[in-house]
Amino acid sequence: MIVASPVYSHKFERSVGSFLKKYQEILQTKPFAVFVTMVEYDSFTKVIKKEIAEPLRKNAVAIANFGGEVNNLPLLTGTIKLLQNQ
């Protein structure tokens, strides 16, 4: 099982959080991986500990972050500043 979610305000997408809680007992018996996006690297561990129960974290074969906030991408910085000034 692969679970993926964007992170908004240090929380998983609501439906993903609900899924993890609802199926926690089943997921604890299966190998699964968790991938998140839109979380800053320095808060990744805090978000994971808050959003995924410890038994699930221990059973996960992978927990990974695919990237930080969009406004931290260097290629978009000039575009964002340009849009903000209009």
Side-chain angles (χ1 to χ4, degrees):
M1 166 80 53
I2 298 173
V3 177
S5 179
V7 175
Y8 301 110
S9 299
H10 302 283
K11 294 181 182 179
F12 282 5
E13 174 71 33
R14 184 178 298 174
S15 62
V16 175
S18 297
F19 175 85
L20 290 174
K21 289 176 185 161
K22 182 176 182 178
Y23 296 106
Q24 179 176 336
E25 289 184 27
I26 295 169
L27 291 171
Q28 286 175 195
T29 66
K30 311 276 185 207
F32 76 104
V34 179
F35 301 101
V36 298
T37 61
M38 306 294 288
V39 64
E40 295 175 346
Y41 291 103
D42 59 346
S43 60
F44 173 70
T45 302
K46 181 180 175 182
V47 169
I48 294 301
K49 285 182 178 180
K50 179 180 161 203
E51 295 295 310
I52 304 174
E54 184 177 357
L56 292 178
R57 291 193 315 266
K58 287 183 177 182
N59 191 50
V61 295
I63 298 177
N65 182 5
F66 282 166
E69 292 186 28
V70 172
N71 59 1
N72 287 336
L73 294 175
L75 294 176
L76 295 178
T77 303
T79 305
I80 291 169
K81 286 181 182 176
L82 178 65
L83 293 172
Q84 289 173 343
N85 292 330
Q86 290 186 8

